[in-house]
């Protein structure tokens, strides 16, 4: 809970050089490295609607423009709309004389309308008639520019097709010069166009005609005149839509609130995440949209020793202050931990020496092509230059394995010494010293870097690989501000 | 303080829990439901609550004392079908609150706010500056967005009906102490002014 509501006082360095709290880091069990959202591969698993929890295959989702067909968002505040029922009394016309029809008319019919519980917008506000069925049946609006958009789509598809064909032709020419052999298509006279016909692809003629018949749009100088009273009429801001409201419906961009229509709800995706270096899954959600569990969930929180700050003395320039830390072993195996200075962490061999700029990594991360070069580029050494230095004692600490039953007995064992404050099942409290440089100015942020060396047991190691490993984690502690 | 107790008028049909703080000259109209732990303080003048209002737990309605007290003090009149949700607070010097308003949870309405009819003060919204809310104004969200609804908020008659039946089973209630004939005269008087 503290991770959700409080600032991140303790941050870990990812293998890509980003510094993040442990809750947003992953741990690849195959590379034995910490990974983060920046340096892993995100893949869309399935599309679903967050409101009605309906699953949708990606092809259908694309067809429906990634929107749910039965759920709507409020066009005024973007909250999900709810369906409300009313009993509508059918209108009675006074001319109706016979008693039978009167009895029939008195039967109230259930009618449904959409309503927002947040801003109290209802579908009646814009004159959408109530519907006799609870879901669906809401009038669909046609995009005024639908034909033009389809034209453009066809045109660009044709251009893409043509460019692909040209590239193919060029490639074949190159090949023909080099190769001595006649390809099958050359020998049988089977041309590319015919091959496409057989395969059912659009023929080059149709692409040609699509390109030829395309009419580019033209800018016009004729602009509709503003109405006479445009500058004098008093503006009622309640009748005008806000910018977010207009942009939520890009096809119509209504300027008046009377033209706000329900927005079909956008679909959400379930995604799985993959390590870029070894292609193993780091997280994989369960397929069912109603489930929030994971089939694979390699989070750093379950594998890397967790460090929390208990308390610290105010940091003063040129002085040492006490720092109390809590170490937790989240794994099911006993863990040996040593505290190191960040410089003492050995470089892994595949880590390149030269420092990489973040801009370059970012640029690469946007590139979809998967290659190892990418990975080498994003891999950087974390910049953990800190104002303070934790005095690291040369001891090996043993953390017991996690034991959920031990939660219930609360007698902390006091094998306390200079460093160990207390010990309780898989947790350990440490008393350390932080020294702050004399040159550090007052009121600057006090940060201390620390490295952990820990023994990690891989519970499902690959064949011929050792079970136990010595791993490192570098972390940055936020210790408030330097007091003057 | 004791003389205040006698000036609380509960009209027949009103459901008023005993576990609430009512101070000053207060009239509660028929069909109105007042939940437990409600505070209504009429220190600046009488408070008149019309019919079919719902006042939920921990809501506070205060008729504040004016700096230049008038004689006789003007009443604070709260129209029919108003809903005061849990923890809302309405402070007013005097005046008239329309009907079919909704004061959502934890909302705050300060002293110089005039409220028409059919308004909704959203959850945790606080109105402190002097202003007048025209009819059917809806205020919501942390940004205090506002819009104008087309029609008044639907009345809570079903809910009132339900509460009127259920509340006596679980709470001690105050008895009505005014007869029907008196009620009709009293509730009409402020409406005219
Ligand atoms: Zn990373
Ligand atoms: Zn849906
Ligand atoms: Zn809304
Ligand atoms: Zn990996």
């Amino acid at each position: 809970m503290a991770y959700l509501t409080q600032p991140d006082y303790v941050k870990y360095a990812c293998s890509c050089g980003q510094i993040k709290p442990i809750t947003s880091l992953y741990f690849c069990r195959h590379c034995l490295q910490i990974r983060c959202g920046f340096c892993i591969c995100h893949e869309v698993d399935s599309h679903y609607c967050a409101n009605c929890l309906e699953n949708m295959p990606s092809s259908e989702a694309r067809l429906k423009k990634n929107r749910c067909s039965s759920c709507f968002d409020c066009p005024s505040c973007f909250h999900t709309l709810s369906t409300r029922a009313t009993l509508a009394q059918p209108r009675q016309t006074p001319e109706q004389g016979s008693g039978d029809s009167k009895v029939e008319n008195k039967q109230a019919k259930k009618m449904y309308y959409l309503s927002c519980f947040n801003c109290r917008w209802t579908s009646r506000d814009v004159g959408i008639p109530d519907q006799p069925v609870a879901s669906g049946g809401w009038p669909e609006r046609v995009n005024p520019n639908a034909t033009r958009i389809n034209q453009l789509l066809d045109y660009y598809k044709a251009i893409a097709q043509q460019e692909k064909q040209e590239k193919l032709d060029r490639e074949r020419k190159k090949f023909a010069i080099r190769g001595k052999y006649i390809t099958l298509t050359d020998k049988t006279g089977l041309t590319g166009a015919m091959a496409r016909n057989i395969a059912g692809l659009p023929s080059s003629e149709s692409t040609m005609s699509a390109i030829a018949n395309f009419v580019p749009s033209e800018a016009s100088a004729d602009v509709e005149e503003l109405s006479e009273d445009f500058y004098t009429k008093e503006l009622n801001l309640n009748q005008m839509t806000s910018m977010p409201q207009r942009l939520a419906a890009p096809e119509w961009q209504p300027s008046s609130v009377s033209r706000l229509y329900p927005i079909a709800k956008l679909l959400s995706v379930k995604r799985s995440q993959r390590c870029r270096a070894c292609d193993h899954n780091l997280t994989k959600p369960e397929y069912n949209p109603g489930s929030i569990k994971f089939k694979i969930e390699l989070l750093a929180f379950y594998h890397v020793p967790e460090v929390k700050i208990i308390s610290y003395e105010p940091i003063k320039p040129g002085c040492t202050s006490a720092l109390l830390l809590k170490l937790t072993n989240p794994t099911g195996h006993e863990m040996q931990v040593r505290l190191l200075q960040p410089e003492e962490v050995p470089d892994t061999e595949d880590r390149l020496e030269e420092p990489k700029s973040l801009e370059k990594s970012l640029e690469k991360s946007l590139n979809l092509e998967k290659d190892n070069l990418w990975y080498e580029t994003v891999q950087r050494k974390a910049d953990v230059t800190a104002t303070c230095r934790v005095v690291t004692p040369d001891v090996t600490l043993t953390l017991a394995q996690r034991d959920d039953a031990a939660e219930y007995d609360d007698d902390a064992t006091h094998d306390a010494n200079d460093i160990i404050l207390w010990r309780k099942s898989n947790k350990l409290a440490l008393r350390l010293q932080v020294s702050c440089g004399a040159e550090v100015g007052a009121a600057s942020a006090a940060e201390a870097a620390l490295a952990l060396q820990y023994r990690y047991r891989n519970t499902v190691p690959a064949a011929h690989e050792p079970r136990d490993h010595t791993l490192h984690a570098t972390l940055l502690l936020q210790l408030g501000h330097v007091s003057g | 303080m004791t003389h205040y107790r006698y000036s609380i008028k509960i009209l027949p049909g009103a459901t008023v829990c005993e576990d609430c703080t009512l101070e000053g000259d207060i009239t509660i109209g028929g069909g109105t439901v007042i939940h437990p732990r409600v505070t209504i303080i009429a220190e600046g003048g009488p408070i008149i609550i019309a019919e079919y209002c719902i006042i939920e737990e921990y809501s506070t309605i205060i008729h504040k004392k004016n700096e230049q007290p008038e004689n006789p003090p003007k009443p604070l009149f709260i129209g029919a079908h108003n809903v005061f949700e849990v923890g809302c607070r309405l402070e007013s010097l005097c005046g008239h609150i329309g009907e079919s308003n909704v004061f959502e949870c934890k909302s705050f309405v300060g002293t110089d706010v005039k409220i028409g009819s059919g308004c909704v003060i959203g959850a945790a919204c606080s109105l402190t500056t002097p202003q007048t809310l025209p009819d059917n104004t809806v205020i919501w969200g942390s940004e205090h967005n506002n819009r104008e609804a087309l029609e008044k908020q639907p009345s809570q008659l079903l809910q009132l009906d339900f509460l009127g039946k259920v509340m006596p089973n679980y709470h001690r209630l105050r008895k009505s102490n005014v007869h029907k004939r008196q009620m009709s005269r009293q509730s009409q008087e402020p409406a005219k002014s």
Side-chain angles (χ1 to χ4, degrees):
Chain A
M1 196 60 194
Y3 284 111
L4 289 177
T5 54
Q6 284 177 19
D8 303 308
Y9 295 112
V10 180
K11 289 183 184 168
Y12 286 68
C14 174
S15 55
C16 71
Q18 301 256 311
I19 295 171
K20 293 185 177 180
I22 194 169
T23 42
S24 45
L25 291 171
Y26 306 86
F27 181 83
C28 180
R29 204 161 54 188
H30 308 276
C31 314
L32 300 165
Q33 290 277 352
I34 293 175
R35 305 275 185 230
C36 72
F38 174 72
C39 59
I40 55 178
C41 188
H42 302 258
E43 292 166 358
V44 173
D45 264 16
S46 62
H47 297 256
Y48 71 100
C49 170
N51 189 44
C52 63
L53 296 180
E54 199 189 83
N55 238 325
M56 210 180 274
S58 62
S59 55
E60 196 188 338
R62 199 180 311 138
L63 210 70
K64 289 183 172 171
K65 302 195 170 72
N66 293 318
R67 288 173 189 274
C68 179
S69 48
S70 48
C71 304
F72 294 94
D73 275 342
C74 173
S76 164
C77 72
F78 317 124
H79 191 260
T80 307
L81 289 174
S82 321
T83 310
R84 302 210 70 185
T86 48
L87 288 174
Q89 217 75 45
R91 247 172 265 154
Q92 273 187 332
T93 40
E95 283 97 83
Q96 269 178 331
S98 69
D100 279 12
S101 67
K102 251 185 191 166
V103 173
E104 223 179 333
N105 270 349
K106 263 184 193 154
Q107 216 137 59
K109 218 173 133 204
K110 252 196 175 171
M111 295 297 268
Y112 300 89
Y113 65 98
L114 296 171
S115 154
C116 172
F117 286 153
N118 186 28
C119 72
R120 312 243 170 184
W121 182 93
T122 69
S123 55
R124 292 166 166 184
D125 282 12
V126 291
I128 299 174
D130 290 5
Q131 294 293 312
V133 283
S135 65
W138 296 103
E140 259 177 55
R141 283 181 307 156
V142 192
N143 182 351
N145 298 317
T147 39
R148 180 65 183 166
I149 286 176
N150 284 336
Q151 267 177 14
L152 285 169
L153 272 176
D154 285 344
Y155 174 65
Y156 286 116
K157 255 183 213 159
I159 285 195
Q161 178 80 32
Q162 197 184 36
E163 280 178 353
K164 211 167 161 190
Q165 185 58 40
E166 274 168 12
K167 198 178 164 196
L168 235 111
D169 286 346
R170 230 179 300 135
E171 218 96 309
R172 219 197 1 230
K173 232 172 255 167
K174 238 193 281 172
F175 189 74
I177 295 159
R178 252 192 284 149
K180 286 179 197 159
Y181 306 100
I182 314 161
T183 61
L184 186 67
T185 48
D186 288 342
K187 199 168 137 194
T188 55
L190 190 67
T191 61
M194 279 170 85
R196 260 204 305 283
N197 252 336
I198 292 161
L201 291 167
S203 66
S204 57
E205 280 95 82
S206 79
T207 53
M208 291 296 263
S209 71
I211 293 169
N213 292 339
F214 181 74
V215 195
S217 50
E218 262 175 57
S220 156
D222 299 332
V223 181
E224 214 179 299
E225 289 282 325
L226 290 173
S227 60
E228 286 278 302
D229 54 356
F230 185 81
Y231 293 107
T232 50
K233 202 167 69 183
E234 203 182 329
L235 188 66
N236 183 357
L237 280 177
N238 271 339
Q239 295 298 322
M240 306 306 290
T241 50
S242 69
M243 219 53 209
Q245 283 170 345
R246 288 178 200 197
L247 295 177
E251 300 100 314
W252 297 279
Q253 302 181 20
S255 58
S256 143
V257 288
S258 60
R259 306 214 63 82
L260 286 174
Y261 287 98
I263 309 163
K265 195 164 184 64
L266 283 168
L267 297 177
S268 309
V269 294
K270 284 210 163 201
R271 59 185 180 160
S272 56
Q273 288 159 313
R274 205 181 276 283
C275 175
R276 293 249 190 190
C278 68
D279 267 352
H280 282 95
N281 267 119
L282 294 175
T283 65
K284 191 159 186 61
E286 284 186 358
Y287 187 68
N288 175 15
S291 164
I292 53 161
K293 289 187 186 142
F294 288 85
K295 282 190 248 177
I296 301 168
E297 196 178 24
L298 294 175
L299 305 184
F301 193 67
Y302 298 139
H303 297 275
V304 178
E306 185 196 355
V307 174
K308 278 189 168 183
I309 300 170
I310 299 173
S311 69
Y312 52 85
E313 285 176 355
I315 311 290
K316 289 191 182 112
C319 296
T320 58
S321 334
L323 167 69
L324 305 184
L325 290 183
K326 186 168 87 173
L327 258 69
T328 310
N329 173 9
T331 65
H333 304 276
E334 204 176 76
M335 190 180 259
Q336 274 83 38
V337 179
R338 281 170 58 82
L339 301 179
L340 303 176
Q341 293 299 333
E343 308 87 74
E344 294 174 278
V345 174
D347 271 349
T348 41
E349 67 253 60
D350 57 336
R351 182 176 277 163
L352 295 183
E353 288 302 308
E354 72 205 84
K356 299 285 193 320
S357 74
L358 186 65
E359 284 74 30
K360 208 172 164 196
S361 321
L362 253 173
E363 182 191 302
K364 270 282 186 179
S365 82
L366 294 172
N367 197 347
L368 282 173
E369 270 170 61
K370 230 193 278 181
D371 51 21
N372 279 330
L373 239 131
W374 183 96
Y375 183 70
E376 277 163 27
T377 318
V378 296
Q379 206 165 29
R380 282 187 315 142
K381 207 169 161 135
D383 174 28
V384 286
T385 45
T387 46
C388 308
R389 167 176 281 270
V390 179
V391 181
T392 47
D394 188 25
V395 286
T396 303
L397 308 155
T398 307
L399 278 170
Q401 68 266 38
R402 195 188 73 221
D403 180 6
D404 292 332
E407 289 276 311
Y408 301 108
D409 47 58
D410 48 16
D411 44 309
T413 43
H414 288 275
D415 65 338
N417 52 31
D418 308 352
I419 302 155
I420 297 171
L421 206 64
W422 50 259
R423 187 192 278 280
K424 192 171 133 189
S425 78
N426 63 333
K427 298 178 189 74
L428 189 66
L430 296 177
R431 184 191 283 118
L432 299 171
Q433 297 292 319
V434 186
S435 65
C436 185
E439 74 289 344
V440 177
S444 60
E447 286 180 327
L450 181 69
L452 297 178
Q453 182 185 65
Y454 58 98
R455 294 288 293 166
Y456 174 76
R457 169 163 291 186
N458 196 350
T459 44
V460 276
H464 318 296
E465 266 186 37
R467 277 164 68 82
D468 291 295
H469 305 270
T470 303
L471 303 177
H472 295 88
T474 310
L475 40 111
L476 206 61
L477 310 168
Q478 239 93 55
L479 303 174
H481 292 281
V482 177
S483 56
Chain B
M1 276 289 158
T2 42
H3 79 277
Y4 281 141
R5 239 163 237 281
Y6 298 101
S7 52
I8 291 166
K9 301 181 206 67
I10 300 172
L11 300 179
T15 311
V16 182
C17 288
E18 199 165 86
D19 185 20
C20 52
T21 313
L22 305 177
E23 279 174 23
D25 184 354
I26 299 166
T27 308
I28 296 162
T32 289
V33 174
I34 297 187
H35 287 247
R37 309 301 300 167
V38 165
T39 308
I40 302 175
I41 298 172
E43 58 177 24
I47 295 181
I48 298 159
I49 299 169
E51 298 85 16
Y52 306 111
C53 290
I54 303 178
I55 303 179
E56 292 185 349
E57 291 88 342
Y58 297 102
S59 1
T60 309
I61 298 173
I62 302 177
H63 185 180
K64 286 246 166 168
K65 220 174 251 169
N66 208 331
E67 268 138 47
Q68 298 107 29
E70 288 156 80
N71 210 7
K74 273 193 181 165
L76 167 64
F77 181 76
I78 295 170
H81 297 284
N82 280 306
V83 179
F84 293 84
E85 290 185 2
V86 176
C88 71
R89 190 179 171 93
L90 169 71
E91 290 180 4
S92 186
L93 285 173
C94 67
H96 190 101
I97 307 261
E99 47 190 51
S100 299
N101 297 298
V102 181
F103 298 83
E104 287 188 6
C105 301
K106 287 269 180 189
S107 60
F108 174 82
V109 175
T111 47
D112 288 322
V113 183
K114 292 191 175 61
I115 293 173
S117 290
C119 297
V120 179
I121 321 296
C125 288
S126 109
L127 308 180
T128 48
T129 49
Q131 59 192 299
T132 304
L133 297 190
D135 287 1
N136 300 346
T137 303
V138 182
I139 297 175
W140 82 90
S142 52
E143 312 262 289
H144 291 73
N145 303 298
N146 66 64
R147 53 177 286 268
E148 196 188 318
L150 199 70
E151 49 193 16
K152 273 183 195 162
Q153 296 308 309
S155 67
Q156 300 274 354
L157 286 175
L158 280 174
Q159 170 78 350
L160 274 165
D161 224 40
F162 173 77
L163 287 172
K165 278 186 199 135
V166 164
M167 294 284 261
N169 301 339
Y170 298 98
H171 295 285
R172 283 172 194 283
L173 300 183
R174 297 188 190 207
K175 293 215 169 57
S176 67
N177 51 13
V178 182
H179 289 293
K180 240 198 175 121
R181 203 166 291 160
Q182 278 175 285
M183 169 199 84
S184 53
R185 264 178 51 216
Q186 278 196 326
S187 60
Q188 269 164 21
E189 258 171 36
K192 264 186 233 158
S193 62

